[in-house]
Amino acid sequence: MRSNWIRFLAGVLVSVALVGAFALTGGMKGGRSTDGLLYQASGLHPDGEMLAISGQTVTCEEYLFWLGMVCDNVTASMPDVDWSAAVTGDGMTFAEYAKTDAVEAAKQHAVVRAWAQQAGVALSDASTLELDAQRQQYVAYYGSEEAYLQQLALMGISEEAYDRILEDQYLYRDLYQAFCTPGSSLYADDATLTDYAAQLGYMGAYVLKLTGDNAETMANDLLERWQAAEDKEKEYALICEELQQTADGIVTLTAVEDDALSDAMSALEIGGMTAVIDPYGEGTSFVVLRTEPDLSAVAETYFDVLWNQKMEEATVVTNSKLYDGVDVGAFYEKLIQLRQDMMAEMESGAQTDDDRTGGPQSDSAGDSADSAADDPQPAA
């Protein structure tokens, strides 16, 4: 699963253009729900509509979840942060940064939903099974269903909203796999991929890598043998087997300026072959057969281009009445206090249960707890 598509905690400043806003009496709903710590900390109803991004609604609950995450990240490195202090040379404050970065996080999820909806891609059965297994990991890690739900309550988010956020990650993967699978409705046509590969200088090649004292002699001998073979692909596989190398097939890469191996490959016509002797002065030689680029590999990078394009072109509309009223410092200070109060209440409840049962009844219970504590926490 591609894990780098979403930046849960911002590491760099981002710039988001808020291209429109509803009037205070506009069509975005304020909501009614009063559940959860995020409502208590902000006064905003979880089911209120905070953002509309490329036609996808982002609720107050989801936005405030991301805002809390960004604030957690900021205070992890700056515990005494002054939210009104400038963080950039143009006067952007830490509070403005946090609000903007929360929009960016919500935007990534909304763009995935919008693209999937447009392309007719739904969560695959395999992804659904993985999500179910992931949830069971969480339950097992925290010790019970109740304990897992308590963790969500501490974050201030409902199980439904959290599940949706997790589903987006798998939906992104399903989009990616559909886009990169030849024959699927999302797969770009060969002409588009070929043109894109040419623009970026992509080359395809079968490559043999040879090392050792006789690498140069082997390279020249294998080049002669390979050139004489009628079935070049089959001969490549046989040579790899003899050399005990993995037959990687066609490698697709971009031309690199002032690189001896890249220059030698670029000079070849499609179907051309050459031996490149010790191009880097490290005793390693190569035998190369130039081919057309592997379009399935090109599709993978083309997907990233389209993803970035969709992110740049996404329209972000804010419910100005709700968004402008968020005081980041006050919200986060209250959220932290509410979390602490809830944790104290949970611990008190756990102690009461122990008092009623007389505490742990055997050493095996303690051993189980120690074992659970040693287990790694499932990655979100």
Side-chain angles (χ1 to χ4, degrees):
M1 178 173 152
R2 305 183 77 195
S3 57
N4 63 335
W5 77 277
I6 273 182
R7 194 162 42 84
F8 283 97
L9 298 178
V12 295
L13 290 177
V14 294
S15 176
V16 178
L18 301 181
V19 300
F22 277 86
L24 299 186
T25 57
M28 299 181 82
K29 299 176 182 178
R32 292 187 175 185
S33 173
T34 57
D35 297 332
L37 297 191
L38 296 176
Y39 168 74
Q40 295 176 49
S42 67
L44 297 178
H45 301 288
D47 57 340
E49 298 174 352
M50 175 66 79
L51 305 166
I53 302 177
S54 296
Q56 300 295 308
T57 298
V58 177
T59 64
C60 292
E61 179 180 27
E62 183 178 352
Y63 173 76
L64 292 172
F65 169 75
W66 292 121
L67 181 59
M69 294 283 279
V70 175
C71 291
D72 286 340
N73 186 52
V74 172
T75 56
S77 57
M78 300 180 64
D80 299 320
V81 61
D82 177 358
W83 294 103
S84 63
V87 68
T88 64
D90 61 2
M92 184 184 204
T93 66
F94 281 100
E96 291 169 336
Y97 156 69
K99 292 177 71 172
T100 300
D101 211 50
V103 171
E104 181 72 5
K107 178 181 171 185
Q108 294 180 63
H109 284 260
V111 169
V112 169
R113 297 166 195 161
W115 192 0
Q117 186 178 72
Q118 179 185 22
V121 173
L123 202 64
S124 67
D125 292 341
S127 291
T128 299
L129 289 173
E130 287 187 49
L131 274 166
D132 291 342
Q134 185 181 42
R135 189 184 189 285
Q136 291 307 310
Q137 278 186 304
Y138 289 153
V139 171
Y141 176 78
Y142 288 113
S144 69
E145 180 82 13
E146 180 183 6
Y148 170 64
L149 295 178
Q150 286 178 338
Q151 293 300 316
L152 296 184
L154 280 170
M155 291 191 292
I157 193 168
S158 65
E159 183 178 14
E160 179 183 0
Y162 190 65
D163 285 349
R164 186 184 188 193
I165 288 172
L166 294 181
E167 286 172 5
D168 292 338
Q169 300 176 59
Y170 287 89
L171 187 57
Y172 174 89
R173 185 187 65 177
D174 289 341
L175 269 170
Y176 172 79
Q177 291 179 341
F179 189 90
C180 298
T181 301
S184 78
S185 60
L186 274 182
Y187 190 75
D189 61 83
D190 288 354
T192 298
L193 293 176
T194 299
D195 182 60
Y196 171 73
Q199 290 177 31
L200 272 67
Y202 282 150
M203 299 181 291
Y206 287 103
V207 181
L208 296 172
K209 180 179 179 181
L210 305 164
T211 59
D213 295 336
N214 62 340
E216 179 177 351
T217 301
M218 288 181 64
N220 289 321
D221 290 345
L222 288 174
L223 173 62
E224 184 177 350
R225 170 184 164 182
W226 203 358
Q227 286 175 323
E230 184 174 341
D231 189 331
K232 298 292 192 293
E233 185 175 350
K234 182 178 180 180
E235 191 67 22
Y236 164 78
L238 289 173
I239 293 173
C240 287
E241 184 177 357
E242 292 172 12
L243 296 175
Q244 296 184 327
Q245 294 183 7
T246 301
D248 293 321
I250 297 175
V251 177
T252 300
L253 62 164
T254 56
V256 178
E257 189 175 354
D258 297 326
D259 180 276
L261 179 58
S262 178
D263 290 344
M265 292 176 61
S266 298
L268 292 172
E269 298 289 338
I270 302 300
M273 303 180 68
T274 189
V276 187
I277 307 302
D278 197 13
Y280 306 117
E282 300 172 348
T284 301
S285 295
F286 301 86
V287 184
V288 177
L289 166 61
R290 176 77 183 270
T291 69
E292 296 285 1
D294 179 358
L295 293 184
S296 62
V298 174
E300 295 178 9
T301 60
Y302 190 55
F303 176 89
D304 293 333
V305 170
L306 292 185
W307 166 255
N308 291 331
Q309 181 179 326
K310 287 182 179 295
M311 285 292 293
E312 291 172 3
E313 295 176 351
T315 57
V316 181
V317 180
T318 65
N319 185 335
S320 58
K321 180 179 181 180
L322 304 184
Y323 184 85
D324 295 343
V326 176
D327 182 325
V328 174
F331 160 75
Y332 190 63
E333 181 180 0
K334 192 165 185 180
L335 181 61
I336 292 300
Q337 185 60 56
L338 288 166
R339 286 174 177 171
Q340 292 172 348
D341 293 345
M342 179 176 284
M343 289 180 68
E345 185 177 344
M346 290 176 180
E347 291 170 0
S348 175
Q351 182 62 50
T352 300
D353 289 342
D354 283 345
D355 291 342
R356 289 173 180 169
T357 61
Q361 298 299 307
S362 68
D363 291 338
S364 63
D367 292 340
S368 297
D370 290 339
S371 175
D374 290 338
D375 290 337
Q377 182 171 354

